Amino acid sequence: MAASKPCLVGQGFLDFVKGRDAEPMMRLGGIMHAARALWASEVNFGFAYIAPDYLRQDTEEFAFRYGASTVRQIGSISRCPNVVIVGEGREIGPQHYDYLLRDQSVCQLHGDALKELIHGTEFSDFLLFPGGFPLSPILQELKAAKASVFADINFITDAQELSALSRKFASLILSTSSDLFLTIFDGDPAKMNNELCKYAESVLLKENRGGSRLFDCGDRDKWGSTPAQVRPVLHSVGVGDFFDAIFVVERRLHSDETALAYAAFAAAEYASYFRDSDIQDSLAALLSISPDDIRNLGGVVMPWELRRKIHIYLAAPDFDYVDTAPLEALAEALSYHNFFPHRPVREHGQARDDSPTTEKRQLAEADLDLLATCQLLVAVLLYDDPGTLIEIGIAIEKQIPVIVFDPFKRASNLMLTELPILVSPDLDKVIAEVFIQSGKIGHEKR
């Protein structure tokens, strides 16, 4: 197949990442993340952006510096600075995006620049990142183009807008974290496909640390899954866009399965670095790996809907007189990723010092019965709570995988540090290990 010459279409932003544990960071975002992927891959590409005029010089200098051969501002944003504040930069749990003044944003498309870009240059592929600008006029111009059209539709609210292309998208791409998937499609891949396959040849569902699935709209029973490369990350902002760009480029050279494997590894590399030179070096090394080898390197496959079958016992002193903030963060993160966390004190009740002995025994037995039905135990060491330590021991004896979240670095006894699969003060590492262990459990069940 011929090499790809893609054109990126989308908004330019300023990303301000507050993060949980890292220093705040600001850099150009939006379609710039995908541009970094194409630059690091040494791919010739076009760059069609929409942004406030105050970002024009910085955006165009960025695009040319990163190797874009054609750069056009195809739309202007007014009454909005296009600044996105990201509360959680590593996507341990909800990222808490805050798009400043988005409700009053006004977009004016530049029709002549759009037509010149689409019809004046031979691109092999268009990769669109809709959201915050009129999509139909762009699709109407693209319908006569020979290029394949892809769109990452995480930020659209009405799938019917996609009909303006009047032909099939090569692929529609979205993430399990998007409102479109969670709200419009109720977190149901079947419902997603029933709607999106009206407009596309395939649908690509990115499932975060659980891998990705590419659904063939011509044969609903045909789909392929690609493992995620789960590791602690430095940041997650723009990683999905980086993934998209590598997938679009590599599928011109390889099968979809191989392209997705390269994209998954590339996304993991992007999440591991901030410096451009590191990104470029790591991607060059990655793309030197043979297609056969890249497909066989493995990873984690944990489909979204199967995660609800992974019941996780949260062992912690979850009492009303204890500061349980680390436990709350863990439970929120697990729920965000669609796992089924259990907080036994919340489910069965809290004993008091003066509670009858029979009631205390019933509560203890209820907790043990719940533990026996769970596939994982994650303990939170808020202090040296005997109940938490006993539950860890019972789970280990029952050969239930045990992960210990130790936010205050209390673990020192060798039985506690050596017997669990992981003991870490880093919630990101804990969530990553949950995915790794869940993937193994899911594989055994399948």
Side-chain angles (χ1 to χ4, degrees), residues 24-336:
M25 179 195 70
M26 178 177 284
R27 64 175 175 175
L28 291 170
I31 61 169
M32 276 68 120
H33 297 292
R36 289 187 181 97
L38 300 178
W39 163 76
S41 304
E42 298 183 347
V43 171
N44 184 11
F45 67 98
F47 188 89
Y49 73 96
I50 299 160
D53 288 340
Y54 86 93
L55 283 177
R56 180 173 184 172
Q57 181 175 347
D58 288 333
T59 300
E60 295 192 356
E61 286 180 357
F62 171 97
F64 282 122
R65 186 170 70 252
Y66 281 78
S69 58
T70 305
V71 178
R72 295 286 187 277
Q73 184 181 20
I74 62 168
S76 297
I77 299 291
S78 59
R79 303 189 65 204
C80 173
N82 270 31
V83 173
V84 178
I85 297 176
V86 184
E88 172 47 70
R90 294 191 290 170
E91 202 169 2
I92 297 170
Q95 291 190 282
H96 304 295
Y97 280 100
D98 187 6
Y99 177 17
L100 300 183
L101 300 180
R102 61 183 171 186
D103 291 336
Q104 67 180 48
S105 175
V106 176
C107 177
Q108 178 66 48
L109 288 181
H110 303 168
D112 292 340
L114 176 63
K115 291 179 181 179
E116 179 187 354
L117 177 92
I118 292 175
H119 303 297
T121 308
E122 286 293 328
F123 293 110
S124 61
D125 308 278
F126 282 87
L127 174 55
L128 279 63
F129 296 90
F133 59 87
L135 179 60
S136 293
I138 295 175
L139 295 181
Q140 288 168 3
E141 289 295 334
L142 282 172
K143 66 183 178 183
K146 296 178 181 179
S148 298
V149 182
F150 300 79
D152 186 315
I153 56 174
N154 279 331
F155 297 106
I156 71 169
T157 56
D158 184 1
Q160 292 185 356
E161 287 184 276
L162 302 170
S163 64
L165 185 62
S166 299
R167 60 184 174 99
K168 294 280 189 176
F169 287 83
S171 192
L172 291 172
I173 308 167
L174 72 164
S175 168
T176 51
S177 63
S178 69
D179 286 340
L180 180 65
F181 178 75
L182 293 173
T183 304
I184 305 300
F185 301 138
D186 300 321
D188 183 352
K191 186 173 181 180
M192 171 194 75
N193 285 329
N194 285 338
E195 178 62 22
L196 296 183
C197 280
K198 298 174 185 176
Y199 312 108
E201 296 171 357
S202 65
V203 177
L204 175 54
L205 181 64
K206 297 179 292 188
E207 302 180 271
N208 198 276
R209 304 180 200 210
S212 60
R213 280 180 286 177
L214 184 66
F215 298 90
D216 185 343
C217 290
D219 182 354
R220 299 294 181 86
D221 296 325
K222 183 180 178 182
W223 54 273
S225 63
T226 298
Q229 302 309 310
V230 176
R231 64 184 78 163
V233 301
L234 187 62
H235 72 98
S236 68
V237 180
V239 170
D241 298 350
F242 200 91
F243 178 105
D244 296 347
I246 297 299
F247 169 64
V248 169
V249 168
E250 291 301 316
R251 73 186 298 273
R252 284 276 170 184
L253 305 172
H254 308 289
S255 67
D256 285 340
E257 178 188 6
T258 302
L260 286 170
Y262 280 117
F265 275 93
E269 292 298 313
Y270 190 57
S272 301
Y273 300 106
F274 279 130
R275 292 195 309 179
D276 289 340
S277 59
D278 291 334
I279 295 166
Q280 187 179 43
D281 291 344
S282 66
L283 198 57
L286 169 65
L287 295 178
S288 70
I289 300 173
S290 73
D292 288 341
D293 287 342
I294 201 75
R295 289 194 304 270
N296 293 325
L297 285 175
V300 174
V301 175
M302 193 65 242
W304 173 263
E305 63 274 21
L306 295 186
R307 297 177 204 171
R308 295 303 291 173
K309 298 181 181 180
I310 304 297
H311 292 255
I312 303 174
Y313 189 98
L314 302 187
D318 194 7
F319 307 129
D320 56 15
Y321 54 83
V322 174
D323 181 358
T324 58
L327 174 60
E328 301 290 344
L330 169 65
E332 180 184 41
L334 292 171
S335 296
Y336 172 80

Side-chain angles (χ1 to χ4, degrees), residues 264-405:
F265 275 93
E269 292 298 313
Y270 190 57
S272 301
Y273 300 106
F274 279 130
R275 292 195 309 179
D276 289 340
S277 59
D278 291 334
I279 295 166
Q280 187 179 43
D281 291 344
S282 66
L283 198 57
L286 169 65
L287 295 178
S288 70
I289 300 173
S290 73
D292 288 341
D293 287 342
I294 201 75
R295 289 194 304 270
N296 293 325
L297 285 175
V300 174
V301 175
M302 193 65 242
W304 173 263
E305 63 274 21
L306 295 186
R307 297 177 204 171
R308 295 303 291 173
K309 298 181 181 180
I310 304 297
H311 292 255
I312 303 174
Y313 189 98
L314 302 187
D318 194 7
F319 307 129
D320 56 15
Y321 54 83
V322 174
D323 181 358
T324 58
L327 174 60
E328 301 290 344
L330 169 65
E332 180 184 41
L334 292 171
S335 296
Y336 172 80
H337 291 293
N338 209 39
F339 291 107
F340 204 135
H342 291 274
R343 299 172 67 171
V345 174
R346 297 289 182 91
E347 294 185 22
H348 301 143
Q350 178 176 326
R352 303 291 176 184
D353 289 341
D354 59 354
S355 296
T357 300
T358 54
E359 180 183 338
K360 291 179 179 179
R361 181 174 293 276
Q362 287 173 351
L363 289 173
E365 290 177 349
D367 289 355
L368 291 179
D369 289 342
L370 174 61
L371 175 56
T373 68
C374 290
Q375 289 75 43
L376 281 172
L377 180 143
V378 182
V380 185
L381 298 185
L382 300 178
Y383 58 87
D384 291 330
D385 172 54
T388 301
L389 300 176
I390 289 171
E391 288 168 327
I392 291 173
I394 292 172
I396 290 172
E397 178 64 22
K398 290 180 176 290
Q399 296 186 329
I400 297 171
V402 172
I403 300 167
V404 177
F405 178 33

